[in-house]
Amino acid sequence: MLTLRKRWKNSPIFRRLAGGVGAIALGKIWILLTQIALVPVLSNTWGAEAYGQWLMLSTIPIYIALTDFGIGTAAGVEMTRHLERGDDTAANRVYQSGWVFLTLISFLSGATVWVGIGIWHKYDATMYDMQVAAGLMVAASILTLQVFVLRAVFTATHNFAKGQFVNDLAIPIEGLGVVIVAWSGGV
């Protein structure tokens, strides 16, 4: 049993697996801590109604992220396949194609929502803060879509844990930004 444990500890596969599991676990812990902190801060600072509106707006990035259509994952698989064969040119071509596709999808999705916000503003200009917040959520979503292909590069180059860590680092940073805005009187 000791020999098996020693072999696993010295194995690069085990280290990558342990790093990946650790990075995913850390990301889940960040989500948990951020949500635990945000609920009382935002509900006390903004009140129940404004906090409820914020929760509705915060679903926008989720819907825009669905427009990825799995391109980030597929690009990661293809880049990994090409890199394992030693074909860096083909891997780079997959990265660039995935990035261009996601950029187009990002801007089409963003433009659609921004047009919707413009129509919303035309019929109800009293909710300017909500419209600005929705526009900022769309911009953040576009950046998130761009990260999907970048994270695929980390995965393809056997740096999944680093990519996951960098990706998940956005969670506490975004949470801290929201808290700062709320405490400074912003909605």
Side-chain angles (χ1 to χ4, degrees):
M1 186 69 158
L2 187 58
T3 309
L4 180 62
R5 190 179 305 162
K6 226 182 224 184
R7 280 187 13 208
W8 271 101
K9 282 187 176 183
N10 294 329
S11 167
I13 293 172
F14 177 76
R15 283 195 300 273
R16 284 197 341 241
L17 182 64
V21 169
I24 289 171
L26 181 62
K28 300 304 176 200
I29 290 169
W30 281 346
I31 290 170
L32 176 70
L33 294 176
T34 302
Q35 292 303 317
I36 288 172
L38 283 179
V39 171
V41 169
L42 297 182
S43 62
N44 287 332
T45 305
W46 289 340
E49 183 178 342
Y51 180 59
Q53 292 171 347
W54 169 260
L55 287 176
M56 286 180 12
L57 284 176
S58 66
T59 63
I60 291 172
I62 296 167
Y63 288 112
I64 291 179
L66 293 174
T67 62
D68 167 57
F69 300 116
I71 295 299
T73 303
V77 169
E78 282 298 303
M79 283 188 284
T80 301
R81 188 171 63 87
H82 290 301
L83 288 173
E84 288 301 315
R85 292 182 180 160
D87 192 354
D88 294 351
T89 304
N92 191 33
R93 205 169 35 246
V94 169
Y95 168 73
Q96 291 173 348
S97 298
W99 182 77
V100 166
F101 180 77
L102 281 179
T103 300
L104 290 173
I105 291 296
S106 297
F107 285 112
L108 287 174
S109 299
T112 302
V113 175
W114 282 324
V115 166
I117 292 169
I119 293 169
W120 178 20
H121 182 69
K122 181 178 178 184
Y123 292 105
D124 186 3
T126 62
M127 298 188 68
Y128 179 75
D129 288 341
M130 291 286 287
Q131 295 157 354
V132 169
L136 291 173
M137 288 284 195
V138 170
S141 302
I142 289 172
L143 290 175
T144 300
L145 278 177
Q146 298 301 306
V147 171
F148 286 173
V149 176
L150 180 62
R151 193 171 67 185
V153 172
F154 279 102
T155 301
T157 57
H158 303 294
N159 288 305
F160 173 80
K162 288 178 188 173
Q164 189 69 33
F165 177 79
V166 169
N167 185 58
D168 289 345
L169 192 59
I171 295 165
I173 292 171
E174 287 174 3
L176 182 62
V178 169
V179 167
I180 290 170
V181 167
W183 279 346
S184 67
V187 179

